[in-house]
Amino acid sequence: MTAPPHPTTVPNVIDIPRELAASQEKYNGEAGRAFIEGLPDLTAGFLDRWGLEPDGPPMHGVSALVLPVRRADGSPAVLKLQILDEESEGEPVALRVWDGDGAVRLLDHDEPTGTMLLERLDETRMLSHIPDPHQAVVTIAELLAHLTSFPAPPGMRRLGDIARAMLDRTPWALDRIPDPEARRLVADCAAAVREVVDEPGDRLLHWDLHDENVLASDRAAWLAIDPKPLAGDPGFELWPAIDNRYDPDDILWRFDAMTDVLALDRPRARAWTLGRLLQNALWDIEDGRPLDDDQLQIARRLRDHTG
């Protein structure tokens, strides 16, 4: 990785995590380097603009810097700075719809940059820390049942468009899968999506509700963070919880438990979950990676599931 051309430091405030710089370089190239280069000034500007004081070391995921802060009234919050793209631009829209009901509360938002001020949750109490994976799966399902009860607002990116684009890309991808069994499995995932693509749904989806995107707080047992929202069918939400702490012998239990909690039509939910596995396969092929054996196993077991 090329080192950022300027110091990644906000004087007397924070050092920009090197891991964040590396992930921005890897996934966003020149745009990622520009984001990291501008992050010190961006951070300092919003601290001043919103009257915030840093209140702890920065945190980060693959794409965002999250800085614990105190507001002028002393209340805790976090400042989230990230590249504005089709996924992140929908985040504040979804958070406004949910308005803290099952998800982290949005306190302020700058539309041009996508910068957000969010309530502070307890990052030391993450759902991934719960020892029982079944309990974690049911908790995610209960959150999803509530979050997807909201209709998606106008202008949200749509599952139907995403699914049609995947199907258009599938013939190209199949030509690049050398193993016949894996090729047949990916083709079967696409066939399942074709059965449901004309009824893609209109619920507000989180899209990325895995067990590290669920945190505890003083006001609620568990709240969702970091949505990548779209309008669609709740069946498209199930894959992350099936993949968390992967256990091939637990795939069908998790799928059945989640469809029960969300009261989903099981064949339809299976088709949309196979759609998530098609999406993952397409990303792997486009990036020149081999297909993931765990993902193929999830697809295989769900394809053959008749429950």
Side-chain angles (χ1 to χ4, degrees):
M1 188 193 83
T2 303
H6 297 289
T8 53
T9 300
V10 180
N12 302 317
V13 177
I14 59 169
D15 292 325
I16 306 302
R18 293 291 177 179
E19 297 86 356
L20 178 61
S23 65
Q24 285 290 344
E25 169 86 17
K26 178 178 179 180
Y27 293 109
N28 295 310
E30 181 58 39
R33 290 191 293 273
F35 171 71
I36 293 298
E37 182 178 347
L39 195 50
D41 287 342
L42 189 67
T43 305
F46 278 102
L47 291 174
D48 181 65
R49 173 176 166 181
W50 286 338
L52 307 172
E53 290 291 336
D55 189 42
M59 300 170 285
H60 67 92
V62 172
S63 59
L65 178 75
V66 179
L67 179 65
V69 294
R70 292 274 173 182
R71 304 176 78 186
D73 62 3
S75 61
V78 294
L79 181 66
K80 182 175 183 180
L81 306 107
Q82 60 191 343
I83 283 184
L84 190 61
D85 57 23
E86 66 175 2
E87 292 184 352
S88 62
E89 71 180 1
E91 183 174 355
V93 178
L95 293 179
R96 284 198 185 98
V97 171
W98 291 321
D99 193 25
D101 189 2
V104 64
R105 180 170 283 121
L106 178 68
L107 303 176
D108 211 336
H109 170 232
D110 179 66
E111 188 171 348
T113 64
T115 302
M116 292 180 290
L117 188 66
L118 303 166
E119 73 171 310
R120 194 189 307 180
L121 307 183
D122 188 349
E123 75 279 1
T124 68
R125 291 190 290 156
M126 189 179 289
L127 189 60
S128 60
H129 300 161
I130 296 295
D132 182 1
H134 284 188
Q135 182 183 347
V137 167
V138 171
T139 296
I140 288 176
E142 290 170 345
L143 277 173
L144 288 174
H146 181 69
L147 296 175
T148 61
S149 70
F150 291 79
M156 188 65 64
R157 61 191 183 127
R158 298 176 297 180
L159 176 57
D161 295 336
I162 292 170
R164 290 185 183 90
M166 290 194 300
L167 292 176
D168 288 345
R169 196 66 169 155
T170 296
W172 170 89
L174 292 176
D175 286 343
R176 286 157 178 80
I177 302 174
D179 178 69
E181 196 276 335
R183 187 165 58 247
R184 178 72 262 165
L185 190 54
V186 172
D188 288 343
C189 289
V193 173
R194 287 191 194 95
E195 293 295 320
V196 294
V197 69
D198 290 333
E199 297 181 30
D202 64 356
R203 299 291 89 189
L204 180 54
L205 307 186
H206 181 288
W207 186 81
D208 194 28
L209 199 60
H210 54 76
D211 60 7
E212 293 185 353
N213 272 346
V214 180
L215 300 180
S217 80
D218 292 337
R219 69 175 180 86
W222 298 108
L223 294 169
I225 65 168
D226 200 24
K228 304 292 186 287
L230 62 153
D233 190 294
F236 203 60
E237 294 274 40
L238 307 185
W239 169 76
I242 296 172
D243 188 59
N244 284 163
R245 293 185 253 185
Y246 175 73
D247 179 351
D249 295 328
D250 212 31
I251 292 169
L252 298 186
W253 184 92
R254 296 182 189 194
F255 175 78
D256 290 348
M258 296 185 78
T259 51
D260 283 346
V261 172
L262 278 92
L264 299 180
D265 175 80
R266 199 160 279 169
R268 184 178 179 83
R270 181 168 57 247
W272 280 120
T273 306
L274 291 173
R276 285 296 291 267
L277 294 156
L278 174 63
Q279 187 176 55
N280 292 342
L282 290 171
W283 286 338
D284 284 342
I285 295 164
E286 288 164 0
D287 291 343
R289 298 188 300 265
L291 296 180
D292 185 278
D293 289 339
D294 293 350
Q295 303 304 297
L296 293 175
Q297 182 67 275
I298 293 172
R300 188 178 297 109
R301 297 211 179 188
L302 288 178
R303 180 194 62 183
D304 299 338
H305 185 37
T306 57

